[in-house]
Amino acid sequence: MASRRSRGSGSRIRGGRWPVPWLIAAAVTMSASVAFAASLPLASQNLTVYRTCYLWPTSGTDTAEYDSYVSQQNGTTNYGTSASLSVATQNNKNMRTYLRFDLTLCSPALPTTASAIKQATLRLYASAVPTSCRTYDIFAVTASWTETGITWNNQPFGTAINNPASSQRTSYITIGTPGGCQNTAAGWVNGWDVTVDVRNFASGAGTNYGWMIRDDVEGNSSAISTTFASQEDTTSPSRKPPLIITYQT
Amino acid sequence: MRKRLLIVLAVVLATLAWAAPGFAGGLSPSSKTLGANGLAVPRCDTNAVGVTQNLTAANVVSVTISNIDAACANGTLRVTVNNGTTTSSGSGTVPAGGGSLTVTITSIAQQHADEVDFAISGP
């Protein structure tokens, strides 16, 4: 009986106790550890993570960004190396600004899933604001252009004023000293929301030819304009145009 | 033979006991779920925020996060700027009501494609 109990219980090994207590302890420990892991209080703790690609040229020759403006008054003149960008409305003297950023410089690469890109904002630094509140529309450009080649006469959207229609804009800002305008003083404008366009560029649904900014109503009887710092601005490196893309990981 | 089986069983159990918390500790911050229960990690801000790098000369010295949802109030915001060569981090507490918070970091050279990561833990 004693022999059967000894063999049956397996309680001895080489003159010592079988590791039954050890087995129990190990099992209890494992069970407790798994329970702890499963009960981590993540459900009660917020964790909000965002990643941002901050495209911001560091010099006038930086390939992260290209910009220029075009002037109806000087239809064949290129302003690609100008230290400023202009948007203006005036009969036969309208001005538009073109910008393009190299999204492939983002590291890690932008997600191709559109919904993962939460916000994309293009900002400009205004050296002064007009005395009347103006609406500046931004449009995704649909054909290629170069910084040192673009002019009023060869711009992708053609020479007709108020084209494309305001209804085709991606977004807009208002700028001017009157109260109620979004941007009433010189400095950084709140920025154009270009999230939809960047989603299209990143996903491949659209080609990145950049953006064009124009006054919502071109051809005004008197001159109303705003000047922004360009990539070539040397006043301060912090005034060059940035594109800020925030997305979730 | 039975002895060996028991010993092997004990070793396996002990290994599992050691590994279980290891798995939990190795969860990626990007995980949305945990384990078989599929617990969602909640976020206090789900739309969009504004990000501004603040420069002194050609160096990023702080980062301003704006448009933070009120639900994030009192959460800890950690910012890391990676300029492709080096990184710099800082943290602060989201003010009551959310809004905007500027986090100072150790000065880092601004590059044309900086990666700015930030996480709000809590509240």
Side-chain angles (χ1 to χ4, degrees):
Chain A
M1 184 64 181
S3 174
R4 188 166 65 243
R5 185 166 58 242
S6 173
R7 292 176 62 171
S9 66
S11 60
R12 291 185 177 278
I13 178 172
R14 290 190 180 179
R17 299 286 300 171
W18 276 96
V20 171
W22 191 44
L23 283 172
I24 295 171
V28 170
T29 303
M30 183 197 74
S31 174
S33 299
V34 171
F36 289 152
S39 64
L40 284 171
L42 289 178
S44 59
Q45 179 81 4
N46 290 304
L47 180 60
T48 309
V49 181
Y50 287 107
R51 174 167 283 166
T52 299
C53 175
Y54 213 106
L55 291 171
W56 204 1
T58 58
S59 70
T61 57
D62 195 327
T63 57
E65 188 260 354
Y66 304 89
D67 57 41
S68 183
Y69 71 94
V70 295
S71 169
Q72 187 180 20
Q73 185 179 22
N74 303 298
T76 58
T77 302
N78 171 261
Y79 297 94
T81 58
S82 171
S84 63
L85 302 168
S86 293
V87 175
T89 175
Q90 185 181 12
N91 192 28
N92 294 321
K93 295 180 180 178
N94 299 290
M95 296 182 188
R96 299 171 176 173
T97 284
Y98 282 79
L99 306 103
R100 179 164 55 87
F101 292 81
D102 185 354
L103 303 183
T104 66
L105 292 174
C106 290
S107 179
L110 294 177
T112 55
T113 303
S115 60
I117 296 177
K118 307 303 291 186
Q119 174 114 21
T121 305
L122 192 160
R123 303 186 73 197
L124 292 176
Y125 187 95
S127 57
V129 297
T131 54
S132 60
C133 188
R134 304 300 300 178
T135 297
Y136 286 172
D137 301 327
I138 191 165
F139 302 85
V141 180
T142 55
S144 64
W145 56 277
T146 64
E147 184 175 44
T148 56
I150 191 169
T151 66
W152 179 272
N153 288 349
N154 69 13
Q155 60 177 312
F157 283 121
T159 58
I161 65 170
N162 296 314
N163 180 63
S166 300
S167 59
Q168 296 178 36
R169 67 190 175 196
T170 300
S171 67
Y172 68 93
I173 65 163
T174 58
I175 186 168
T177 55
C181 236
Q182 294 170 344
N183 302 276
T184 57
W188 287 107
V189 297
N190 288 339
W192 287 264
D193 184 345
V194 291
T195 308
V196 172
D197 294 335
V198 170
R199 285 175 175 171
N200 287 337
F201 299 157
S203 68
T207 302
N208 177 18
Y209 295 119
W211 292 275
M212 182 272 281
I213 299 170
R214 71 164 174 84
D215 193 291
D216 187 63
V217 181
E218 293 182 316
N220 197 59
S221 57
S222 59
I224 306 174
S225 65
T226 302
T227 301
F228 301 99
S230 80
Q231 178 189 19
E232 287 77 13
D233 179 85
T234 56
T235 306
S236 168
S238 63
R239 293 183 181 180
K240 301 179 188 301
L243 176 65
I244 305 139
I245 307 163
T246 299
Y247 52 101
Q248 288 182 348
T249 57
Chain B
M1 185 61 184
R2 193 164 189 171
K3 296 176 186 176
R4 288 182 180 173
L5 284 173
L6 286 169
I7 292 171
V8 167
L9 180 59
V11 170
V12 168
L13 288 173
T15 302
L16 286 173
W18 170 83
F23 291 150
L27 283 171
S28 164
S30 63
S31 294
K32 302 287 192 304
T33 59
L34 174 64
N37 288 334
L39 295 174
V41 178
R43 306 172 68 97
C44 63
D45 188 305
T46 56
N47 44 29
V49 296
V51 182
T52 302
Q53 288 190 139
N54 303 306
L55 302 188
T56 295
N59 296 313
V60 184
V61 296
S62 64
V63 175
T64 299
I65 309 296
S66 57
N67 195 32
I68 305 172
D69 284 358
C72 298
N74 300 317
T76 299
L77 189 152
R78 294 179 177 82
V79 175
T80 298
V81 177
N82 180 351
N83 69 2
T85 304
T86 186
T87 62
S88 180
S89 299
S91 65
T93 302
V94 177
S100 180
L101 173 64
T102 296
V103 176
T104 301
I105 62 172
T106 303
S107 179
I108 182 174
Q110 181 241 331
Q111 300 298 330
H112 63 195
D114 288 341
E115 175 191 347
V116 182
D117 297 333
F118 55 98
I120 303 171
S121 56

